[in-house]
Amino acid sequence: MRGIIKGTGACLPKRAVDNHELARIMDTNDEWIRERTGIVRRRLISEETTVSMSACAAERALENAGIEPGAIDMILVSTVSSNAVLPSTACAVQERIGAANAVCFDVNAACTGFLAALNTGQAYIHAGMARNILIIGAESLSNLVNWTDRGTAILFGDGAGAVVLTAEEGELPVAVMHSDGAKGGVLTCRSPFEGSRSSPAGGGAGADPSGYEPFIQMNGQEVFKFAVRQVPRCIEELLEKCGRTPEEIDLFVLHQANARIVEAIARRLKQDISRFPMNLMEYGNTSSASIPILLDELNRGGRLRKGMKLVLAGFGAGLTWGAAYLEWEV
Ligand code: UT7
């Protein structure tokens, strides 16, 4: 058995913040951001939350798939920016959409998280342990950004995307995933629970001798180099396992981090950039949400036809990276 994507959905916050608006609160400018990243604006939450956007994207995906919430037997949410530590975003989504029969848990593999959740879903379906799975990527990264750090604040955005994965006869699609924890220091966001500093054993409630920094911290150039080196290799590894060539792929749906990264990956694979769709100009880097939001845009925009061959690829904190092959089946 394998899962096929039956439907897609997305949900973006209403509030769009363009580069000019950011330039009013930090030392940056529209020209620099466009040239170095391709980003023009991003959506940032005001009333929305990771849970509300996840539930809204999920409902749209269910409608698109023509599947009732009660038929969903698993909800997987990839996020690093849950509303709450407990309960999981997946359980909160279950309650909101009325998917009473679902098993629910969250996955954290940063910007590779949607692929990790998709592969987990595929494995459950392959093992006969689930038939209809909601896979959601959702982030409120604006809550993790230091709005005085121009090196990171200009990059990120909020949003959610979802797909419904349904069991069908057939072989498990090929996917590859990698992690390198030794290089984790290049992209971090510390937790207030690190060590035992808030327990009586660790020096008393809230005591924080180390100066807790709750924001995303990044060595941008190192992440850039990692992405343009590892992602093309990973896609080549994937295609070799599938017995396909890059020329046979209709669309490369990559994590939307930076237009220069996507362009560099296309160049290294010697493929035309027109087969690497991008929407990061509008939404910035939405981490786990970027691949399903883009998939939904392609799906609803009529760019996906039955039989098309797609490669999805993600990369990010951990470090983590991965790619998945799929044929569009609806
Ligand atoms: O999901 C994965 C998440 N992370 C990523 O995808 C990040 C990957 N990395 C990148 O996208 C790029 O490294 C950045 C967009 C973050 C930065 O671009 P860069 O070409 O690597 O710039 P840089 O850090 O080398 O900085 C170049 C200059 C510096 O000034 P000096 O030292 O040359 O005078 C920076 O201080 O640009 C300056 N700078 C800025 N100027 C205006 C850095 N950020 C800004 C800014 N506005 N926002």
Side-chain angles (χ1 to χ4, degrees), residues 26-29 32-33 36-37 111 149-152 154-156 187 218-225 227 255-258 260-261 285 287 315-317:
M26 67 187 76
D27 182 17
T28 189
N29 58 76
W32 190 96
I33 301 173
R36 302 280 176 140
T37 71
C111 303
D149 174 14
R150 66 179 184 172
T152 52
I154 54 122
L155 291 174
F156 297 107
L187 181 45
M218 180 178 74
N219 180 334
Q221 288 187 355
E222 285 304 314
V223 177
F224 194 102
K225 279 190 267 176
H255 168 48
Q256 301 288 290
N258 182 323
R260 283 162 54 217
I261 293 179
N285 176 346
S287 187
F315 56 90

Side-chain angles (χ1 to χ4, degrees), residues 81-255:
S81 48
S82 289
N83 296 22
V85 175
L86 302 170
S88 68
T89 297
C91 283
V93 169
Q94 174 190 34
E95 196 266 327
R96 287 213 182 195
I97 68 171
N101 302 315
V103 169
C104 307
F105 59 95
D106 290 357
V107 171
N108 174 352
C111 303
T112 319
F114 179 76
L115 283 180
L118 183 70
N119 293 339
T120 304
Q122 288 286 15
Y124 269 86
I125 287 176
H126 188 62
M129 292 168 72
R131 291 199 60 82
N132 292 307
I133 308 185
L134 259 171
I135 314 273
I136 303 169
E139 303 289 0
S140 300
L141 294 177
S142 57
N143 285 333
L144 302 180
V145 159
N146 174 356
W147 289 99
T148 64
D149 174 14
R150 66 179 184 172
T152 52
I154 54 122
L155 291 174
F156 297 107
D158 303 331
V163 304
V164 176
L165 205 60
T166 294
E168 284 225 348
E169 286 300 327
E171 272 184 37
L172 194 64
V174 179
V176 291
M177 297 282 291
H178 294 285
S179 306
D180 183 0
K183 302 218 173 71
V186 300
L187 181 45
T188 60
C189 183
R190 289 179 59 194
S191 155
F193 314 119
E194 191 176 279
S196 61
R197 75 173 73 94
S198 59
S199 80
D208 187 2
S210 62
Y212 165 54
E213 253 289 353
F215 304 119
I216 292 174
Q217 302 197 6
M218 180 178 74
N219 180 334
Q221 288 187 355
E222 285 304 314
V223 177
F224 194 102
K225 279 190 267 176
F226 145 70
V228 302
R229 206 171 289 152
Q230 294 296 1
V231 178
R233 277 189 202 157
C234 177
I235 292 176
E236 280 165 357
E237 180 191 351
L238 175 86
L239 292 175
E240 203 178 307
K241 282 192 173 168
C242 301
R244 301 269 176 208
T245 64
E247 288 70 24
E248 289 177 87
I249 302 304
D250 294 293
L251 290 173
F252 294 85
V253 182
L254 305 190
H255 168 48

Side-chain angles (χ1 to χ4, degrees), residues 5 7-12 57 60-61 64 160-163 253 279 283 289-304 328:
I5 294 180
T8 63
C11 182
L12 278 308
R60 289 176 180 165
N64 188 242
V163 304
V253 182
N279 63 4
Y283 307 132
S290 79
I291 292 175
I293 292 172
L294 182 55
L295 260 185
D296 184 57
E297 269 191 16
L298 295 167
N299 184 24
R300 286 169 196 261
R303 291 201 50 198
L304 300 177
W328 197 252

